Amino acid sequence: MSNLIKLIINAGVLLLLSLNNPAFCENIDLKGLSKRIESAFNTNDLANIDGVLETEMALDIKKDFLDFQKEFPNARWEISPAGTLKDNRQLIQLAITALKKKENQIYSLETSQRIALEIKKGKITSHEIISEESILKSTNKPIDITLQIPNTALTGSRYDIDIIINQPLESSIIAGNLISLNDDINFKKSQEDIELIPMGSGGIFKSVQAPMEPGYQKWAAIIVHPEGLISITKFVKIVSNEKDFNL
């Protein structure tokens, strides 16, 4: 499970690495390049990205992609421009959906990521992940959940993390927990040693504190439901000024 979560978190890097190739920085066509990479992943025609990436970089990306394909061979990728931020950075939207059945379990994956690119004189000078979340379910029946987690929070503030099961089973008891992934040790242990605690049937509802310094808070949650397992990851951007909320 941890390998899959790692691949989800790194999914946006596949696009960013290609965009930083000098051969494509002089006349960047974000829409055309996005669709070229999207098509390569959806058709499993990785030769289509050879001209976009340096050789060593292409080999690393192909390996990660093939590892991902072993878990979800029918994954569908969508990569597209997503407008411009108020500071003139361009946005890229990446989404992955997948479904597979193994033995008596149905595995479904949804992940999304927004990436901001700063371009100066035809060259990408920096990039930033603006928002990211993923939901991985292994359930006997579909379980509809809603994530009410902000994409952005103010330094030092408290905010709510609500993971809602939209049709809870009456009188049933579920187990789960929410942990921070803000250090490598927690990330490595998150899918193996997370402590499950009993909770109400409606989901996970917690109030958390943002750090005092700008950056990111990364969260992982697991819900053990009578119908199966739900794993969630979410990045929350921490800003020091309210004007940065509408990124």
Side-chain angles (χ1 to χ4, degrees), residues 1-148:
M1 183 75 71
S2 59
N3 289 335
L4 180 57
I5 297 298
K6 176 177 180 292
L7 287 170
I8 293 170
I9 291 175
N10 288 336
V13 177
L14 301 177
L15 179 62
L16 289 173
L17 290 176
S18 65
L19 288 172
N20 277 292
N21 186 290
F24 284 83
C25 287
E26 293 302 325
N27 296 289
I28 295 175
D29 176 9
L30 291 182
K31 182 176 181 180
L33 185 55
S34 298
K35 291 305 174 185
R36 177 175 176 179
I37 299 173
E38 176 188 290
S39 176
F41 291 160
N42 284 331
T43 62
N44 203 20
D45 182 14
L46 299 187
N48 196 33
I49 64 173
D50 283 341
V52 181
L53 303 171
E54 296 177 356
T55 302
E56 184 176 350
M57 192 180 297
L59 290 174
D60 290 341
I61 288 179
K62 288 178 181 180
K63 181 181 182 301
D64 285 345
F65 177 78
L66 292 174
D67 287 342
F68 186 87
Q69 282 286 81
K70 291 177 183 177
E71 296 287 344
F72 289 96
N74 70 337
R76 300 298 300 173
W77 296 68
E78 293 184 12
I79 305 172
S80 60
T84 304
L85 295 175
K86 59 185 179 182
D87 60 7
N88 293 323
R89 288 183 296 170
Q90 296 191 47
L91 277 175
I92 290 292
Q93 179 75 37
L94 182 147
I96 307 171
T97 57
L99 187 70
K100 77 172 183 179
K101 185 174 183 180
K102 185 176 181 181
E103 297 178 350
N104 294 326
Q105 294 290 320
I106 297 174
Y107 293 82
S108 63
L109 169 69
E110 297 178 10
T111 186
S112 63
Q113 194 175 67
R114 286 200 313 155
I115 306 163
L117 307 173
E118 185 172 1
I119 302 174
K120 294 181 179 180
K121 296 181 180 180
K123 294 185 178 181
I124 294 174
T125 58
S126 66
H127 67 269
E128 179 184 9
I129 296 175
I130 299 299
S131 64
E132 179 176 279
E133 68 181 39
S134 65
I135 303 173
L136 177 65
K137 303 175 186 176
S138 55
T139 59
N140 298 314
K141 298 179 181 179
I143 300 175
D144 184 26
I145 68 170
T146 298
L147 301 186
Q148 292 185 352

Side-chain angles (χ1 to χ4, degrees), residues 217-232:
Q217 272 189 303
K218 297 171 282 187
W219 298 99
I222 289 182
I223 295 176
V224 179
H225 187 276
E227 296 294 344
L229 179 72
I230 304 170
S231 175
I232 299 108

